[in-house]
Amino acid sequence: MKFVDEASIRVFAGKGGDGCVSFRREKFIPFGGPDGGDGGDGGSVYLLADPNINTLADFRVSRQFRAESGASGRGRQCTGKSGADCIVPVPVGTLVYDMETEEMLGDLVGPGQKLLVAKGGFHGLGNTRYKSSTNRAPRQFTKGTPGEQRELRLELNVLADVGLLGMPNAGKSSFIRAVSGARPKVADYPFTTLHPHLGVVSVGTHRSFVIADVPGLIEGAAEGAGLGIRFLKHLQRTRLILHIVDGSSDPAESDLVGEARTLAAELERFSPDLAVRERWLVLNKIDLLTPEMREQKLRELTDGLEWQGPVFSISAKTGEGTRTLCEALMQRLEQFRAEATDSASAQPSDEPYDPLET
C-alpha cells in the first residue's frame, strides 16, 4: 500500500430528531392529555487510533463520513431512536486539525484512543414536556438541532523511539535492515527511500524499541529541496536521533564535517526543539576502511564538529558494531522511560490531603 501521511476529510454529525405533538385518545378515558415523545440524539463522529493501519492512503478515496440522524419522537411518549455514531479508524500518531480555524483538535498517540471531532445534534422535545396545570393541551414542540460539520486535515507523524538522520546513500536503510525485520529498498543511487519505514529492534527478552528510517536530506531541505520538509516532521516524536555518516566517501569529493553541519542547520531551520534533541554520531561503512582510516575519519568528525556526544562506528553490511550500538540505544531509552516514570510519580495528587488518614 502506498504511504500517505497527509489527507483532508469532511465529517458530518447526525441531526437530532424532532419532538412530536400527540394527544392520548382512548375509549372511556375522557381526559387523555398530551403524549408526544422526544426525538433521538444525532450520532457523533469519532476518530479511532487503530494500530493495524499505518498510512492515510484510504482517505484519498473516502473523504466524507456521516453519522446517523436521530429519529423523530412518536405518540404514547415514545422517544425516537438515537442515531448511530460514525467511527473512523486512523493510524496511531495522527494529528487532527480543523481546516477552518487551524486549531489542533487532538493527537492520537495511543492505540484505541478516540477523539470526538463532530458532535451530534440535540434531540427535539415533544409536547409532553410542556404540559402544566395551566397548559393542559400544549401544542408546543422543538425540532432537533443540526449536527456539527467540519473539514479536517489529518497529518501522520510516525511513532518511533529512534530516528535516522543522514545524507542520501549514508546507509540508513541498510542499517535498519541489519537490526530489524524492516525491508526498505536499498540501491546505489540517491533517494532510494521515498517514504518512512519503521522497524522493531529486539535486544533481548521484553527489551525492544522502534526505529524510523526517513528519506535522506540535502541542503535546503527545510525550504523544500529534495524531498524537503515533508519527512522531517517524522523525527519530531523520536527521543533520540542517530546521525549516520558515510565513512567510505572520498575526501576529495565530499566534506563529511560540512555535510554534518549542513544537516544540523536544516534541523535548526525546521524546528529548534528538534535541533537540540539528543543526537548520536555513527560512522557507517567501516568495512571499506582500514583500522587507521577509521580512526582518522572519526577524529576528523569529532574534532571538526567539536562533538561531545556518543560516537559509534559500524558496518550495516557486515553487522560489525551494530549489536553494540543497539545495546547502548536500549540502555539510553530505558533511562528515558525510567525518568518519565519518576516524573509522573512526582506530580502532586489532585486529591485533598486528609491529616486523619493513616
Side-chain angles (χ1 to χ4, degrees), residues 47 67 108 193 242 257 344:
L47 300 186
L108 299 170
T193 302
L242 286 186
V257 175

Side-chain angles (χ1 to χ4, degrees), residues 22 207 245 265 271:
S22 175
R207 298 181 73 220
V245 177
S271 169

Side-chain angles (χ1 to χ4, degrees), residues 162-165 239-245 277-283 307-312 324-333 335-336:
V162 178
L164 302 183
L165 175 70
R239 295 176 178 268
L240 189 149
I241 298 175
L242 286 186
H243 188 157
I244 297 182
V245 177
R277 191 76 47 85
E278 184 170 342
R279 191 154 40 105
W280 292 8
L281 187 64
V282 179
L283 183 68
W307 194 265
Q308 302 296 325
V311 181
F312 293 85
T324 302
L325 174 56
C326 290
E327 284 284 356
L329 288 171
M330 188 73 254
Q331 293 177 11
R332 185 66 181 115
L333 292 172
Q335 291 178 5
F336 280 131

